[in-house]
Amino acid sequence: MLMQSAPPLGDLENADEFIARHIGIEPEDEKKMLGVIGSASRRELIEGIVPPSIRRAQAMDLPAPVTESAALAELKAIAKKNQVLKSWIGQGYYGTHTPGVILRNILENPAWYTAYTPYQAEISQGRMEALVNFQTMVCDLTGMPIANASMLDEATSAAEAMTLAKRSVKSKSNVFIVAGDCHAQTIEVIQTRAKPLGIEVKLANSAPEWEKLMNGDYFAVLAQYPTTSGRIDDLREEVKRAHAKQAAFIVAADLLALTLLTPPGEFDADIVLGTTQRFGMPLCNGGPHAAYLACRDEFKRSLPGRLVGVSVDVHGKPAYRLALQTREQHIRREKATSNICTAQVLPAVIASMYAVYHGPAGLKRIAQRVAAYTAILATGLKRMGFTLTSEHVFDTVTVKAGDKAASLMARALDAGVNLRLAWGEYVSMSFDETTTRNDIEQLWSIFAIDGQALPDVNDFAKGIEPMIPAELRRTSAFLTHPVFNTHHSETGMLRYIRSLSDKDLALDRSMIPLGSCTMKLNATSEMIPVTWPEFANIHPFAPADQRAGYAQLDEQLRAWLCQATGYAGISLQPNAGSQGEYAGLLAIKAWHESRGDAHRNICLIPSSAHGTNPASAQMVGMQVVVTACDAQGNVDLADLQAKCEQHSAALAAVMITYPSTHGVFETQVKELCALVHQHGGRVYVDGANMNALVGVAAPGEFGGDVSHLNLHKTFCIPHGGGGPGVGPVCVVEDLVPFLPGHEAGGVPSNGVGAVSAAPLGNAAVLPISWMYCRMMGPEGLTQATETAILSANYISARLKDHYPTLYASANGHVAHECILDLRPLKDTSGVTAEDVAKRLIDYGFHAPTLSFPVAGTLMVEPTESETLFELDRFIDAMIGIREEIRKVEGGDWPREDNPLKNAPHTAASLMGDDWSKPYSREAAAYPVASLSGAKYWVPVGRVDNVYGDRNLFCSCVPVSDYA
């Protein structure tokens, strides 16, 4: 028998196998797709789309790809360089136990982490119910009437509270008072935010300073409750003093403490903020964690971020939806009061489920245990001769150690414990739900003088009073809704979580073809390291040598992203794309100021830009000047030149998106960059569409000075139902000194302070992008870009006879997304783009991006991860819907009573005895035969948006309303 020769060893090792796992298009599929498009090869297609002037001259200098198992092993070796010590550092970050049922079924479950922001309400009812639970939890614990669906972190939440107060109160002052005993990182982020807005931050670092400032002129005050050193202040009279000045009083409050403390809403605070990290989210080296922001009812229409409200569907049933200002950046643009366009949904869901699982009694018991252990520690230290800074504390004890402080810190480290050194001579310890009796005894031993007898925890076993003043102990009930008093068994909790995820449509069910949002594969191997203890259990302010693994991860990922973008330096601190924009514009502003050009404040922004662009420019104190786009959707260079010349002396920057927001590679981008540079401005290239550039072109090479990336788009961090994200800011060489610093985290600044609470922002999700780059290598990343462009052009070509593509290049091609023009259909049939979006739900799809950047259109982005089968399934659905529209156009179905106008169809609506529609139930439910075996049933009918805004209700609906 003829023996075949063995294949080469390299083929057997198959180091690049992940590339084929990530990219959904097989070689045979590619040939078919190219035939439909009319291109002979993928290279020919790309060369006909990407302008020759910007194509990369050489490949990215990245490591060659490795297998999933090899990448995990390599990353594990890096993770082991982190040292996981017991951290009693506090300062807003605490140990917590993530209940296993929540860890496995939410944090590690793609049904939850691959979902998108709930713009399409009908297919997002599960995660929005969880967010309403979150909002209810915050309202109940803070005593405030309204709360949003989470913020990025506590420090940025405080900065947003400052600007919310500024635009909401009657005081005309520009002074903002901050208690010096707030968290250091919060103070720093506030100072960063205040400076370009002309707000003067005044710190009150002592009681006399506080008195002096409170008697002066100011528009708002911020106090921590309890303070960062642990002290519980009675703020009731201070609130009255602020209100007498027509100013707002803002409280940064610990939610767990509020189960025992009088909530700020009960002493008339105006705004309350904080973090929900200790409700089940690990330390994560600083993030991702869901912050919260709550306010008085009068402020609700200025409340930043997302708000989930309760409305009704077409059948009169309660239904959830995003409410009020959730798209204010796109509506108000340069007049927007905030550039926050996302949230921390996945951590917020975990926090809300933590409250659901433990219930009010469970949360109070956890808080009581923390307070009891803290009181035992404090009492023992006093017996040992130490002086405490406060007699009233919840979870944090601060000892005046004087010249012994340094040696105490060293002894703690030798014992495997992190304490916090405060103001040079004080040592702080913060307890949490992970604290044990052994921890108390260990801390006593660290503080003991050699030979000193230690207290015995058993001496306190019969009970010890918490160190909370009697007049500030909570008496009001909280979390009384049945949802927080029902699902306390694991079986009950498991089924509740499953029932909510079943209501949603996430990437684990079908393609999510959202243009500009890049919903690509979040590979399981990329996700696995997120919950490794070496990454999850690190405190962001632990000593640097304990974070050596994170430092290496940071260094390598920044180097790889520099290769992908062509830039010289990157900061991974911004924890959202909006914050990356903000940091980038701050860098440009600081650079101009360093050259004596502080007067340069004009930011040119094309009319097609993402709404966060003008909002970010406004936040750094720049004046937005809008430039025109031509009929093809490109930046109008003649208008841009005129505006450059008009504002030449004051030109600070231009902000463009490339490829354009309209999904086209503009051929004159290098000329645009040169024009702006000629007039002394810098070029900001929004990185939202980097999935069309990596390996093909680099903004840092074709003229960009600054870009932000969306790691939750191009580099595979999952969207998490609307967060977390990471928005690294990338800059050219001369702007590197102006990347954001973080004094509290040991990162020096050069004019630009911290933009996030933690030095590495949402650090725990960075391993996802590291894994992606490591497994793809330079060839894989380039192939991913080219395949994304191929897939978008395939969809555009196949649908051109049904829905014309609105913008294309001269040869009819698009970039990585295409805008389908549905506007003519309204005249011929009465069908709108929204009707098509809702009908797609009946076909089992999440709609493409609706009416952005052009009203009446759908913007489709398939990404490289979808298979040809799934692309064709979507195309067939769109064609099927077009045939339905033709029936309306032909008079077979009435304009106001057809499957599109009535979509989406619930099972309940189809099962009633009375069916008087002019189309069959089968046509409504099963428009294509393949749905009969795998039907997603939408839980509610079309939601009434107008009703929801007119009748705003953002906390749990009484059970009677569901009857």
Side-chain angles (χ1 to χ4, degrees), residues 815-840:
H816 64 311
E817 58 194 9
C818 59
I819 298 177
L820 305 179
D821 192 358
L822 278 65
R823 293 174 298 178
L825 300 177
K826 188 172 183 180
D827 291 333
T828 62
S829 65
V831 171
T832 66
E834 183 177 14
D835 296 329
V836 174
K838 302 308 180 187
R839 183 58 172 155
L840 273 168

mmCIF file of all heavy atoms in Angstrom, residues 815-840:
data_model
loop_
_atom_site.group_PDB
_atom_site.id
_atom_site.type_symbol
_atom_site.label_atom_id
_atom_site.label_comp_id
_atom_site.label_asym_id
_atom_site.label_seq_id
_atom_site.Cartn_x
_atom_site.Cartn_y
_atom_site.Cartn_z
ATOM 1 N N ALA A 815 -17.390 50.708 3.042
ATOM 2 C CA ALA A 815 -16.330 50.254 3.943
ATOM 3 C C ALA A 815 -16.809 49.000 4.667
ATOM 4 O O ALA A 815 -17.132 47.997 4.033
ATOM 5 C CB ALA A 815 -15.950 51.370 4.912
ATOM 6 N N HIS A 816 -16.912 49.041 5.980
ATOM 7 C CA HIS A 816 -17.277 47.871 6.776
ATOM 8 C C HIS A 816 -18.743 47.889 7.171
ATOM 9 O O HIS A 816 -19.191 47.023 7.929
ATOM 10 C CB HIS A 816 -16.418 47.822 8.036
ATOM 11 C CG HIS A 816 -16.656 48.975 8.953
ATOM 12 N ND1 HIS A 816 -16.671 50.277 8.497
ATOM 13 C CD2 HIS A 816 -16.915 49.036 10.287
ATOM 14 C CE1 HIS A 816 -16.921 51.078 9.507
ATOM 15 N NE2 HIS A 816 -17.075 50.359 10.599
ATOM 16 N N GLU A 817 -19.497 48.881 6.678
ATOM 17 C CA GLU A 817 -20.919 48.996 6.992
ATOM 18 C C GLU A 817 -21.602 49.701 5.831
ATOM 19 O O GLU A 817 -20.947 50.399 5.043
ATOM 20 C CB GLU A 817 -21.136 49.774 8.299
ATOM 21 C CG GLU A 817 -20.546 51.170 8.287
ATOM 22 C CD GLU A 817 -20.463 51.798 9.669
ATOM 23 O OE1 GLU A 817 -20.708 51.093 10.667
ATOM 24 O OE2 GLU A 817 -20.121 52.996 9.763
ATOM 25 N N CYS A 818 -22.888 49.486 5.711
ATOM 26 C CA CYS A 818 -23.625 50.133 4.631
ATOM 27 C C CYS A 818 -24.929 50.694 5.184
ATOM 28 O O CYS A 818 -25.547 50.103 6.079
ATOM 29 C CB CYS A 818 -23.882 49.164 3.481
ATOM 30 S SG CYS A 818 -24.824 47.689 3.926
ATOM 31 N N ILE A 819 -25.333 51.828 4.639
ATOM 32 C CA ILE A 819 -26.577 52.476 5.058
ATOM 33 C C ILE A 819 -27.649 52.173 4.021
ATOM 34 O O ILE A 819 -27.533 52.589 2.855
ATOM 35 C CB ILE A 819 -26.387 53.994 5.208
ATOM 36 C CG1 ILE A 819 -25.342 54.289 6.287
ATOM 37 C CG2 ILE A 819 -27.708 54.667 5.552
ATOM 38 C CD1 ILE A 819 -25.027 55.759 6.463
ATOM 39 N N LEU A 820 -28.671 51.438 4.419
ATOM 40 C CA LEU A 820 -29.775 51.096 3.527
ATOM 41 C C LEU A 820 -30.823 52.199 3.593
ATOM 42 O O LEU A 820 -31.293 52.560 4.679
ATOM 43 C CB LEU A 820 -30.384 49.752 3.933
ATOM 44 C CG LEU A 820 -29.415 48.563 4.009
ATOM 45 C CD1 LEU A 820 -30.150 47.302 4.451
ATOM 46 C CD2 LEU A 820 -28.711 48.335 2.674
ATOM 47 N N ASP A 821 -31.176 52.720 2.442
ATOM 48 C CA ASP A 821 -32.096 53.859 2.381
ATOM 49 C C ASP A 821 -33.533 53.363 2.271
ATOM 50 O O ASP A 821 -33.961 52.833 1.243
ATOM 51 C CB ASP A 821 -31.742 54.739 1.177
ATOM 52 C CG ASP A 821 -32.459 56.081 1.221
ATOM 53 O OD1 ASP A 821 -33.249 56.296 2.157
ATOM 54 O OD2 ASP A 821 -32.225 56.901 0.320
ATOM 55 N N LEU A 822 -34.285 53.552 3.340
ATOM 56 C CA LEU A 822 -35.690 53.123 3.375
ATOM 57 C C LEU A 822 -36.654 54.299 3.233
ATOM 58 O O LEU A 822 -37.874 54.116 3.289
ATOM 59 C CB LEU A 822 -35.981 52.378 4.683
ATOM 60 C CG LEU A 822 -35.600 50.889 4.750
ATOM 61 C CD1 LEU A 822 -34.099 50.680 4.664
ATOM 62 C CD2 LEU A 822 -36.127 50.264 6.042
ATOM 63 N N ARG A 823 -36.131 55.485 3.073
ATOM 64 C CA ARG A 823 -36.985 56.671 3.068
ATOM 65 C C ARG A 823 -38.043 56.664 1.970
ATOM 66 O O ARG A 823 -39.195 57.062 2.224
ATOM 67 C CB ARG A 823 -36.113 57.934 2.971
ATOM 68 C CG ARG A 823 -35.253 58.162 4.221
ATOM 69 C CD ARG A 823 -34.296 59.329 4.049
ATOM 70 N NE ARG A 823 -33.359 59.084 2.951
ATOM 71 C CZ ARG A 823 -32.435 59.955 2.562
ATOM 72 N NH1 ARG A 823 -32.333 61.128 3.165
ATOM 73 N NH2 ARG A 823 -31.608 59.651 1.562
ATOM 74 N N PRO A 824 -37.719 56.203 0.730
ATOM 75 C CA PRO A 824 -38.772 56.203 -0.300
ATOM 76 C C PRO A 824 -39.973 55.317 0.035
ATOM 77 O O PRO A 824 -41.075 55.548 -0.467
ATOM 78 C CB PRO A 824 -38.030 55.685 -1.532
ATOM 79 C CG PRO A 824 -36.585 55.982 -1.284
ATOM 80 C CD PRO A 824 -36.415 55.809 0.190
ATOM 81 N N LEU A 825 -39.766 54.308 0.884
ATOM 82 C CA LEU A 825 -40.848 53.369 1.188
ATOM 83 C C LEU A 825 -41.987 54.024 1.958
ATOM 84 O O LEU A 825 -43.139 53.582 1.873
ATOM 85 C CB LEU A 825 -40.298 52.188 1.995
ATOM 86 C CG LEU A 825 -39.203 51.357 1.314
ATOM 87 C CD1 LEU A 825 -38.697 50.276 2.256
ATOM 88 C CD2 LEU A 825 -39.723 50.748 0.020
ATOM 89 N N LYS A 826 -41.671 55.070 2.690
ATOM 90 C CA LYS A 826 -42.720 55.737 3.454
ATOM 91 C C LYS A 826 -43.762 56.340 2.529
ATOM 92 O O LYS A 826 -44.975 56.293 2.808
ATOM 93 C CB LYS A 826 -42.114 56.812 4.353
ATOM 94 C CG LYS A 826 -43.129 57.420 5.325
ATOM 95 C CD LYS A 826 -42.472 58.347 6.324
ATOM 96 C CE LYS A 826 -43.482 58.888 7.320
ATOM 97 N NZ LYS A 826 -42.875 59.802 8.315
ATOM 98 N N ASP A 827 -43.316 56.882 1.401
ATOM 99 C CA ASP A 827 -44.257 57.476 0.447
ATOM 100 C C ASP A 827 -45.065 56.406 -0.283
ATOM 101 O O ASP A 827 -46.269 56.569 -0.515
ATOM 102 C CB ASP A 827 -43.504 58.340 -0.565
ATOM 103 C CG ASP A 827 -42.916 59.590 0.071
ATOM 104 O OD1 ASP A 827 -43.476 60.049 1.079
ATOM 105 O OD2 ASP A 827 -41.894 60.085 -0.435
ATOM 106 N N THR A 828 -44.426 55.300 -0.635
ATOM 107 C CA THR A 828 -45.106 54.288 -1.442
ATOM 108 C C THR A 828 -45.976 53.340 -0.629
ATOM 109 O O THR A 828 -46.916 52.746 -1.159
ATOM 110 C CB THR A 828 -44.081 53.454 -2.223
ATOM 111 O OG1 THR A 828 -43.223 52.767 -1.292
ATOM 112 C CG2 THR A 828 -43.246 54.341 -3.139
ATOM 113 N N SER A 829 -45.659 53.197 0.677
ATOM 114 C CA SER A 829 -46.371 52.183 1.466
ATOM 115 C C SER A 829 -46.779 52.649 2.858
ATOM 116 O O SER A 829 -47.559 51.965 3.532
ATOM 117 C CB SER A 829 -45.485 50.943 1.622
ATOM 118 O OG SER A 829 -44.335 51.262 2.397
ATOM 119 N N GLY A 830 -46.221 53.762 3.318
ATOM 120 C CA GLY A 830 -46.438 54.183 4.696
ATOM 121 C C GLY A 830 -45.537 53.479 5.680
ATOM 122 O O GLY A 830 -45.578 53.759 6.883
ATOM 123 N N VAL A 831 -44.698 52.558 5.204
ATOM 124 C CA VAL A 831 -43.806 51.793 6.071
ATOM 125 C C VAL A 831 -42.557 52.621 6.367
ATOM 126 O O VAL A 831 -41.941 53.183 5.462
ATOM 127 C CB VAL A 831 -43.423 50.454 5.417
ATOM 128 C CG1 VAL A 831 -42.323 49.753 6.216
ATOM 129 C CG2 VAL A 831 -44.647 49.548 5.301
ATOM 130 N N THR A 832 -42.177 52.671 7.640
ATOM 131 C CA THR A 832 -40.998 53.418 8.050
ATOM 132 C C THR A 832 -39.846 52.468 8.380
ATOM 133 O O THR A 832 -40.038 51.250 8.513
ATOM 134 C CB THR A 832 -41.297 54.269 9.289
ATOM 135 O OG1 THR A 832 -41.576 53.381 10.400
ATOM 136 C CG2 THR A 832 -42.495 55.180 9.055
ATOM 137 N N ALA A 833 -38.671 53.061 8.558
ATOM 138 C CA ALA A 833 -37.515 52.259 8.958
ATOM 139 C C ALA A 833 -37.765 51.593 10.303
ATOM 140 O O ALA A 833 -37.334 50.461 10.544
ATOM 141 C CB ALA A 833 -36.268 53.137 9.014
ATOM 142 N N GLU A 834 -38.486 52.269 11.199
ATOM 143 C CA GLU A 834 -38.799 51.669 12.490
ATOM 144 C C GLU A 834 -39.700 50.449 12.321
ATOM 145 O O GLU A 834 -39.525 49.436 13.022
ATOM 146 C CB GLU A 834 -39.468 52.684 13.413
ATOM 147 C CG GLU A 834 -39.738 52.110 14.801
ATOM 148 C CD GLU A 834 -40.329 53.110 15.773
ATOM 149 O OE1 GLU A 834 -40.784 54.185 15.327
ATOM 150 O OE2 GLU A 834 -40.338 52.810 16.972
ATOM 151 N N ASP A 835 -40.639 50.501 11.385
ATOM 152 C CA ASP A 835 -41.497 49.339 11.139
ATOM 153 C C ASP A 835 -40.666 48.143 10.688
ATOM 154 O O ASP A 835 -40.905 47.001 11.119
ATOM 155 C CB ASP A 835 -42.542 49.667 10.072
ATOM 156 C CG ASP A 835 -43.520 50.752 10.502
ATOM 157 O OD1 ASP A 835 -43.802 50.842 11.712
ATOM 158 O OD2 ASP A 835 -43.987 51.505 9.632
ATOM 159 N N VAL A 836 -39.696 48.402 9.829
ATOM 160 C CA VAL A 836 -38.819 47.317 9.359
ATOM 161 C C VAL A 836 -38.000 46.769 10.525
ATOM 162 O O VAL A 836 -37.820 45.549 10.668
ATOM 163 C CB VAL A 836 -37.914 47.812 8.219
ATOM 164 C CG1 VAL A 836 -36.902 46.731 7.823
ATOM 165 C CG2 VAL A 836 -38.751 48.223 7.011
ATOM 166 N N ALA A 837 -37.506 47.685 11.369
ATOM 167 C CA ALA A 837 -36.724 47.250 12.529
ATOM 168 C C ALA A 837 -37.546 46.334 13.433
ATOM 169 O O ALA A 837 -37.062 45.303 13.913
ATOM 170 C CB ALA A 837 -36.242 48.465 13.310
ATOM 171 N N LYS A 838 -38.810 46.696 13.664
ATOM 172 C CA LYS A 838 -39.654 45.877 14.542
ATOM 173 C C LYS A 838 -40.044 44.567 13.862
ATOM 174 O O LYS A 838 -40.160 43.528 14.518
ATOM 175 C CB LYS A 838 -40.910 46.653 14.952
ATOM 176 C CG LYS A 838 -40.646 47.973 15.658
ATOM 177 C CD LYS A 838 -39.702 47.842 16.844
ATOM 178 C CE LYS A 838 -39.464 49.184 17.515
ATOM 179 N NZ LYS A 838 -38.421 49.114 18.564
ATOM 180 N N ARG A 839 -40.242 44.584 12.551
ATOM 181 C CA ARG A 839 -40.588 43.353 11.844
ATOM 182 C C ARG A 839 -39.412 42.376 11.836
ATOM 183 O O ARG A 839 -39.626 41.157 11.877
ATOM 184 C CB ARG A 839 -41.030 43.673 10.417
ATOM 185 C CG ARG A 839 -41.481 42.472 9.584
ATOM 186 C CD ARG A 839 -42.649 41.721 10.218
ATOM 187 N NE ARG A 839 -43.190 40.698 9.314
ATOM 188 C CZ ARG A 839 -43.839 39.625 9.721
ATOM 189 N NH1 ARG A 839 -44.045 39.401 11.013
ATOM 190 N NH2 ARG A 839 -44.316 38.743 8.847
ATOM 191 N N LEU A 840 -38.196 42.882 11.835
ATOM 192 C CA LEU A 840 -37.027 42.004 11.900
ATOM 193 C C LEU A 840 -37.026 41.152 13.167
ATOM 194 O O LEU A 840 -36.494 40.041 13.180
ATOM 195 C CB LEU A 840 -35.733 42.831 11.826
ATOM 196 C CG LEU A 840 -35.208 43.138 10.423
ATOM 197 C CD1 LEU A 840 -34.103 44.187 10.481
ATOM 198 C CD2 LEU A 840 -34.701 41.865 9.737
#
